[in-house]
Amino acid sequence: GSPAGNMAFLEKELQTIVGMDNVKKMLRSLCKKVTVDQQRQKFGFQNDQNLNMLFLGAPGTGKTSMARVVAKLLRHLGVLEK
């Protein structure tokens, strides 16, 4: 999708999540980075960076919820197949 469309998709996903401003900022950054990497790839640039992440915190702090948002975002961006 388009960069604006990708950000709109992410913002829609983040609307329902209260707080977690640092995590939201990181996800916006990730969305922009993946979009730029995809554009660069069209011009033959290689990207060997992986997107491994750790979700840490006490029970009930939103780790699973954020992991689901990340998965939806990466699926929307075409990084994940399923």
Side-chain angles (χ1 to χ4, degrees):
S2 72
N6 292 341
M7 288 305 292
F9 176 85
L10 176 60
E11 291 303 326
K12 182 178 176 224
E13 292 295 320
L14 294 178
Q15 270 181 343
T16 60
I17 297 169
V18 177
M20 296 192 169
D21 292 333
N22 289 338
V23 176
K24 289 179 181 180
K25 184 177 177 182
M26 187 276 304
L27 289 178
R28 289 180 184 107
S29 242
L30 174 67
C31 182
K32 291 174 188 174
K33 181 203 175 320
V34 170
T35 302
V36 168
D37 286 347
Q38 288 173 337
Q39 295 296 319
R40 288 173 48 89
Q41 205 168 26
K42 289 179 185 177
F43 293 101
F45 289 96
Q46 192 89 4
N47 177 29
D48 295 331
Q49 188 174 13
N50 68 47
L51 299 174
N52 293 344
M53 296 178 200
L54 292 173
F55 296 86
L56 305 172
T61 56
K63 296 178 301 290
T64 302
S65 299
M66 293 312 293
R68 287 186 177 126
V69 170
V70 170
K72 282 183 185 178
L73 173 64
L74 294 177
R75 172 69 182 110
H76 177 79
L77 294 172
V79 175
L80 295 176
E81 292 179 13
K82 293 183 181 180

